[in-house]
């Protein structure tokens, strides 16, 4: 049996999982022991055609804009992160406003966060953060982030940290600003191991930490579908550049510059 047919307009889930390991069989396919990732462990999709298992094809409504269809994987990371902790009526700090961080802000807003504070080192991206729902933006290069957020939270700090940067300084600062008893969902990947004051920043705080990898299969995709169909999130401000596939060098340098939101390439 298959849920996809010839001519369907689909988005791909890039994690190809085995379906038979202990994790897959207990509803945890997103951390399958035998995961093979499209573009990492097998041929990627910077190509006109790509072969994937039918089970990895997510059928979109035909009227969905291509710009949104292509970024559902990233949006899935954002949804998975934002749904990890309870954000309802909470003060939320999002560290890192790359495309996934920006989408996380939009999702946090849509699911009822009370206040969203966003940090980054790119003024360009912070501007988009504000447009998609951040209440207060802080440039970690030029602003005193701790001071601004402590003042905004009357010295209390934030209830939830959503860490999207992987930058050690942002991770330390995020946990420093986290309330006692708070929760943190971590998606950003540090380049290397680094020193971290686990005793003071996590244990004595009684903090809860969630590691976020990929998308829950397929719960996250259904949550995404709900958010998109109800138009609870607006992704338009996040897609800032379009390139043809053979302009990939330009696309990658735009992405690396920090002066972009999501960069979309089309065959
Ligand atoms: Zn598996």
């Amino acid at each position: 049996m298959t849920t996809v047919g010839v001519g369907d307009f689909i988005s791909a889930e890039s994690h190809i999982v085995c379906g038979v390991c202990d994790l897959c069989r207990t509803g945890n396919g997103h951390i399958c022991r035998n995961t093979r990732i499209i573009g990492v462990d097998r041929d990627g999709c910077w190509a006109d055609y790509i072969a994937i298992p039918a089970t990895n094809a997510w059928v979109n409504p035909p009227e969905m804009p291509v710009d949104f269809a292509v970024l559902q994987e990233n949006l899935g990371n954002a949804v998975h992160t934002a749904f990890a902790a309870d954000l309802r009526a909470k003060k939320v700090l999002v560290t890192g406003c790359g495309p996934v961080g920006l989408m996380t802000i939009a999702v946090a807003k849509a699911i009822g966060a009370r206040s969203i504070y966003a940090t980054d080192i790119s003024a360009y991206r912070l501007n988009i953060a504000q447009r998609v729902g951040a209440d207060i933006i802080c440039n970690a290069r030029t602003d005193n982030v701790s001071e601004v957020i402590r003042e905004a939270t009357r010295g209390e700090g934030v209830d939830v940290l959503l860490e999207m940067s992987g930058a050690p300084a942002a991770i330390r600062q995020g946990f420093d600003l986290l309330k006692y008893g708070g929760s943190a969902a971590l998606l950003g990947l540090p380049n290397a191991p680094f020193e971290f004051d686990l005793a003071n920043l996590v244990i004595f705080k009684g903090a809860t930490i969630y590691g976020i990898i990929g998308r829950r299969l397929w719960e996250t995709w259904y949550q995404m579908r709900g958010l998109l169909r109800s138009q609870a999130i607006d992704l338009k401000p996040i897609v800032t550049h379009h390139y043809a596939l053979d302009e990939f060098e330009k696309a990658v340098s735009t992405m690396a510059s920090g002066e972009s939101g999501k960069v979309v390439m089309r065959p």
Side-chain angles (χ1 to χ4, degrees), residues 17-25 28-29 31-35:
V17 302
C18 75
V20 294
C21 73
D22 55 330
L23 294 164
C24 282
R25 284 178 161 174
N28 292 300
I31 42 174
C32 166
R33 295 179 189 284
N34 306 305
T35 304

Side-chain angles (χ1 to χ4, degrees), residues 81-92 111-113 159-160 183 210:
T81 308
F83 277 72
D86 184 3
L87 303 190
R88 290 171 296 175
K90 297 285 175 67
K91 293 176 219 167
V92 178
I111 62 176
D159 301 296
V160 182
S183 305
Y210 303 92

Side-chain angles (χ1 to χ4, degrees), residues 201-223:
L201 295 178
V202 176
I203 298 169
F204 292 144
K205 283 198 171 189
T208 303
I209 300 183
Y210 303 92
I212 307 297
I213 163 89
R215 297 139 295 279
R216 290 200 68 94
L217 304 174
W218 287 76
E219 185 186 9
T220 304
W221 285 85
Y222 285 100
Q223 290 163 335

Side-chain angles (χ1 to χ4, degrees), residues 1-6 8 10-13 16 38 42 50-59 218:
M1 189 190 147
T2 180
T3 54
V4 61
V6 174
D8 280 347
I10 64 120
S11 293
E13 162 58 58
I16 297 172
I38 296 169
R42 50 187 279 158
I50 176 180
I52 61 167
T55 45
N56 277 65
W58 179 259
V59 179
W218 287 76

Side-chain angles (χ1 to χ4, degrees), residues 7-248:
D8 280 347
F9 176 36
I10 64 120
S11 293
E13 162 58 58
S14 69
H15 288 201
I16 297 172
V17 302
C18 75
V20 294
C21 73
D22 55 330
L23 294 164
C24 282
R25 284 178 161 174
T26 52
N28 292 300
H30 64 296
I31 42 174
C32 166
R33 295 179 189 284
N34 306 305
T35 304
R36 289 173 55 75
I37 302 178
I38 296 169
V40 178
D41 305 304
R42 50 187 279 158
D43 286 347
C45 61
W46 289 13
D48 291 321
Y49 294 94
I50 176 180
I52 61 167
T55 45
N56 277 65
W58 179 259
V59 179
N60 297 314
E63 69 277 9
M64 177 181 269
V66 172
D67 276 1
F68 296 174
V70 295
L71 53 71
Q72 284 190 101
E73 264 241 337
N74 301 145
L75 177 60
N77 290 136
V79 169
H80 189 181
T81 308
F83 277 72
D86 184 3
L87 303 190
R88 290 171 296 175
K90 297 285 175 67
K91 293 176 219 167
V92 178
L93 170 60
V94 179
T95 46
C97 296
V100 182
L102 293 170
M103 292 180 220
T104 303
I105 293 169
V107 175
K109 190 82 180 176
I111 62 176
R114 168 184 153 187
S115 311
I116 302 172
Y117 314 107
T119 67
D120 201 274
I121 51 171
S122 158
Y124 183 98
R125 289 180 165 172
L126 285 168
N127 180 275
I128 304 175
Q130 208 159 28
R131 288 169 59 201
V132 294
D135 298 287
I136 292 181
I137 52 170
C138 278
N139 190 319
R141 274 214 180 114
T142 54
D143 299 328
N144 185 331
V145 175
S146 287
E147 210 175 276
V148 172
I149 292 174
R150 289 221 184 273
E151 198 183 311
T153 58
R154 293 183 298 178
E156 291 173 1
V158 298
D159 301 296
V160 182
L161 165 66
L162 304 177
E163 208 304 300
M164 315 304 287
S165 73
I171 296 171
R172 288 193 196 97
Q173 187 162 57
F175 275 96
D176 186 49
L177 288 165
L178 186 66
K179 260 188 193 175
Y180 278 56
S183 305
L186 312 184
L187 177 121
L189 298 175
N191 289 329
F194 65 94
E195 220 171 280
F196 181 77
D197 186 354
L198 195 59
N200 285 305
L201 295 178
V202 176
I203 298 169
F204 292 144
K205 283 198 171 189
T208 303
I209 300 183
Y210 303 92
I212 307 297
I213 163 89
R215 297 139 295 279
R216 290 200 68 94
L217 304 174
W218 287 76
E219 185 186 9
T220 304
W221 285 85
Y222 285 100
Q223 290 163 335
M224 235 188 316
R225 177 183 279 173
L227 289 166
L228 288 170
R229 288 204 178 161
S230 63
Q231 299 185 337
I233 48 176
D234 180 15
L235 302 175
K236 269 190 234 90
I238 296 171
V239 182
T240 56
H241 293 77
H242 293 88
Y243 291 101
L245 198 51
D246 56 13
E247 297 176 299
F248 65 91

